[in-house]
């Protein structure tokens, strides 16, 4: 097996240059035209089979090793966030309201580095690697769009892996674990219909604002009273709009929020109790409430496959000292790699990338930054995982059919 770390370190200047260029020219979800173009040109120079426009702005590169074998998918996301950068870095975003504040600039550079590592060593590994440079991870459904465009077909991967740089963990700490890692996310809205009127004549009105306030309070009891303490769930309301003037009782209230869960049964229970609670609260005041769960925006939980996590772990130990590989409590943020992991067994891992002197802002913060030494490390880890999987898969005896 190739030792990818020294090779990846020789790519360090390139990885940093790519990352800084993407950082300076961030593009929002489904608008990653410039980024995709740079990726596609690089993959072409490596002699890969390249498809562009996958899921609108995604790029797929296919590379084959020295002998036929299984197919593995590696996924890297490319999109930036609608945030105005405040890092003061010399390569800060050139655009107001657009920033790589989650490290996807790094992921894109890492993917290009992995492509190069695999191309340089193709005589030493077998099978096929499919590199997906995915658009629009940040809540816009990029993974789904690439799946609808056939990224999991022709050829169909039998395993999928992805990595996220994490600037809240020290450089080089790696999280590889089986089972749940990130939560499922729902976006919901609530419309409350009352009966507006004069602020001085409340007896002729149904105050939608007051019903909304009661609804917020009542909804927050669902987690504590209807969900087992052994389960995990979050209900957060982030928007509440009602009323237009100081002396007018609001006719309507509009609320929006998010749910985070792991088990589908917990999600179902939460949604059912929300509907019942809203109906009851509204009825008590003579109003009507409408709950909308935006199913098309639903992101499932990231659940790592046990076998794939074990393969990723073993591969990672060839790059990172075992004592730096840790397990964490599952986190409540979501990640649309879950769409791929719902269809293909795989593993999502996190690599610590805390900048020197500590992070000045977490992910999605205007002062977010990463440690660039994480780039060659990540490229080596992903190349090792891919080739190790391809080596293992199919060489082990098939599972016994007799009991
Ligand atoms: Ni991210």
């Amino acid at each position: 097996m190739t030792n990818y770390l020294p090779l990846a370190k020789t790519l360090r200047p390139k990885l940093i240059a790519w990352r800084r260029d993407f950082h300076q020219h961030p593009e929002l979800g489904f608008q990653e035209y410039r980024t995709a173009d740079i990726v596609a040109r690089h993959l072409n120079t490596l002699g890969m089979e390249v498809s562009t426009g996958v899921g609108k702005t995604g790029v797929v590169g296919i590379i084959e090793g020295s002998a036929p074998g299984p197919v593995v998918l590696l996924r890297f996301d490319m999109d930036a966030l609608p945030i105005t950068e405040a890092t003061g870095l010399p390569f800060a975003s050139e655009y107001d309201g657009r920033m790589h504040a989650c490290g996807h600039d790094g992921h894109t550079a890492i993917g290009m580095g992995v492509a190069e590592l695999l191309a340089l060593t193709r005589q030493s590994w077998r099978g096929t690697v499919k590199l997906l440079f995915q658009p629009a991870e940040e809540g816009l459904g990029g993974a789904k769009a690439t799946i609808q465009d056939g990224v999991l077909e022709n050829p169909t991967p039998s395993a999928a892996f992805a990595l996220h740089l994490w600037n809240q963990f020290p450089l080089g700490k790696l999280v590889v674990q089986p089972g749940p890692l990130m939560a499922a996310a729902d976006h919901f809205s609530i419309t409350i219909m009352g009966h507006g009127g004069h602020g001085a004549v409340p007896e002729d009105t149904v105050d939608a604002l007051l019903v909304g306030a009661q609804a917020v309070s009542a909804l927050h009891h669902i987690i504590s009273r209807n969900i087992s303490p052994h389960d995990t769930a979050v209900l957060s309301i982030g928007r509440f709009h009602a009323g237009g003037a100081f002396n007018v009782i609001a006719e309507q209230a509009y609320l929006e929020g998010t749910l985070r869960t792991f088990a589908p049964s917990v999600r179902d229970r939460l949604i059912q109790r929300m509907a019942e609670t809203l109906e009851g609260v509204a009825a008590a005041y003579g109003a009507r409430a409408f709950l909308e769960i935006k199913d098309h925006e639903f992101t499932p939980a990231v659940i790592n496959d046990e076998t794939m996590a074990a393969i990723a772990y073993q591969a990672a130990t060839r790059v990172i000292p075992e004592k730096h590989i840790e397990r964490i409590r599952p986190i409540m943020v979501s990640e649309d790699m879950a769409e791929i992991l719902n269809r293909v067994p795989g593993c999502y891992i996190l690599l610590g990338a805390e900048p020197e002197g500590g992070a000045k802002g977490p992910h999605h913060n205007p002062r977010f930054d990463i440690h660039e030494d994480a780039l060659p490390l990540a490229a080596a880890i992903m190349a090792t995982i891919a080739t190790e999987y391809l080596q293992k898969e199919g060489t082990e005896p098939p599972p016994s059919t007799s009991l």
Side-chain angles (χ1 to χ4, degrees):
M1 291 295 294
T2 308
N3 181 359
Y4 279 105
L5 188 58
L7 208 50
K9 281 183 173 165
T10 65
L11 297 184
R12 188 178 180 277
K14 270 190 183 180
L15 289 162
I16 291 176
W18 287 327
R19 182 258 163 166
R20 292 186 179 188
D21 177 57
F22 295 136
H23 193 87
Q24 201 161 1
H25 306 98
E27 295 172 299
L28 299 178
F30 292 127
Q31 297 167 33
E32 306 93 333
Y33 296 104
R34 180 185 182 276
T35 310
D37 187 53
I38 292 168
V39 169
R41 273 191 282 129
H42 178 66
L43 301 185
N44 271 319
T45 61
L46 297 173
M48 296 179 86
E49 183 191 327
V50 181
S51 317
T52 56
V54 182
K56 194 170 179 200
T57 42
V59 180
V60 175
I62 296 177
I63 182 165
E64 274 160 18
S66 56
V71 181
V72 63
L73 178 92
L74 302 181
R75 178 277 216 168
F76 307 91
D77 44 8
M78 302 191 290
D79 56 324
L81 284 155
I83 292 175
T84 296
E85 181 158 354
T87 59
L89 289 166
F91 53 89
S93 170
E94 286 184 357
Y95 308 97
D96 280 348
R98 273 195 249 167
M99 177 189 175
H100 270 296
C102 198
H104 301 186
D105 49 345
H107 301 168
T108 311
I110 291 162
M112 290 168 71
V114 171
E116 195 155 332
L117 291 174
L118 293 172
L120 287 168
T121 59
R122 68 196 301 170
Q123 289 315 313
S124 73
W125 55 273
R126 66 176 198 132
T128 301
V129 181
K130 210 167 179 178
L131 297 154
L132 165 61
F133 293 81
Q134 186 207 297
E137 189 281 321
E138 299 286 2
L140 297 170
K144 244 191 211 167
T146 62
I147 292 167
Q148 279 158 4
D149 259 0
V151 75
L152 300 182
E153 297 148 40
N154 302 319
T156 296
S158 48
F161 298 94
L163 170 147
H164 207 302
L165 299 172
W166 212 253
N167 88 339
Q168 303 295 293
F169 297 154
L171 176 68
K173 168 175 165 174
L174 190 71
V175 172
V176 184
Q177 63 192 41
L181 182 68
M182 287 168 155
D186 270 287
H187 176 186
F188 66 84
S189 72
I190 298 162
T191 306
I192 290 163
M193 297 299 297
H195 186 72
H198 201 292
V201 194
E203 67 273 28
D204 289 343
T205 70
V206 175
D207 187 346
L209 187 152
L210 184 60
V211 180
Q214 297 291 347
V216 170
S217 179
L219 291 171
H220 276 290
H221 291 125
I222 296 173
I223 304 281
S224 78
R225 299 297 88 176
N226 299 134
I227 302 296
S228 161
H230 298 290
D231 287 320
T232 309
V234 180
L235 184 161
S236 288
I237 294 164
R239 290 183 80 186
F240 186 146
H241 287 267
F246 82 98
N247 58 351
V248 173
I249 287 175
E251 166 120 345
Q252 242 191 68
Y254 181 76
L255 294 82
E256 271 182 278
T258 186
L259 303 178
R260 301 299 160 110
T261 52
F262 285 98
S265 60
V266 172
R267 175 180 181 243
D268 292 346
R269 173 84 171 136
L270 203 51
I271 291 172
Q272 179 209 339
R273 287 299 297 139
M274 286 177 76
E276 289 165 0
T277 301
L278 285 168
E279 199 184 313
V281 168
Y285 291 85
R288 285 171 303 152
F290 303 93
L291 171 67
E292 189 198 348
I293 303 290
K294 299 178 192 294
D295 274 319
H296 58 287
E297 289 182 37
F298 174 67
T299 304
V302 171
I303 315 279
N304 286 332
D305 179 83
E306 215 160 296
T307 308
M308 297 305 156
I311 291 172
Y313 185 96
Q314 208 187 349
T317 59
R318 299 164 58 84
V319 182
I320 299 248
E322 208 164 347
K323 62 174 193 247
H324 294 160
I325 309 181
E326 294 177 31
R327 287 192 178 199
I328 56 166
R329 281 194 305 202
I331 45 183
M332 302 314 287
V333 301
S334 70
E335 161 57 72
D336 76 357
M337 178 65 186
E339 296 285 358
I340 292 169
L341 295 180
N342 256 5
R343 294 163 173 88
V344 181
C347 185
Y348 189 75
I349 65 179
L350 306 173
L351 176 65
E354 184 183 37
E356 256 168 286
K360 294 188 179 63
H363 289 252
H364 295 208
N365 179 285
R367 278 165 294 280
F368 172 84
D369 193 18
I370 54 161
H371 200 308
E372 288 175 328
D373 282 353
L375 302 175
L377 215 46
I381 291 167
M382 293 306 277
T384 307
I385 289 176
T387 51
E388 193 130 327
Y389 167 76
L390 293 172
Q391 192 57 37
K392 279 209 169 87
E393 175 68 20
T395 56
E396 277 161 17
S400 168
T401 48
S402 61
L403 291 171

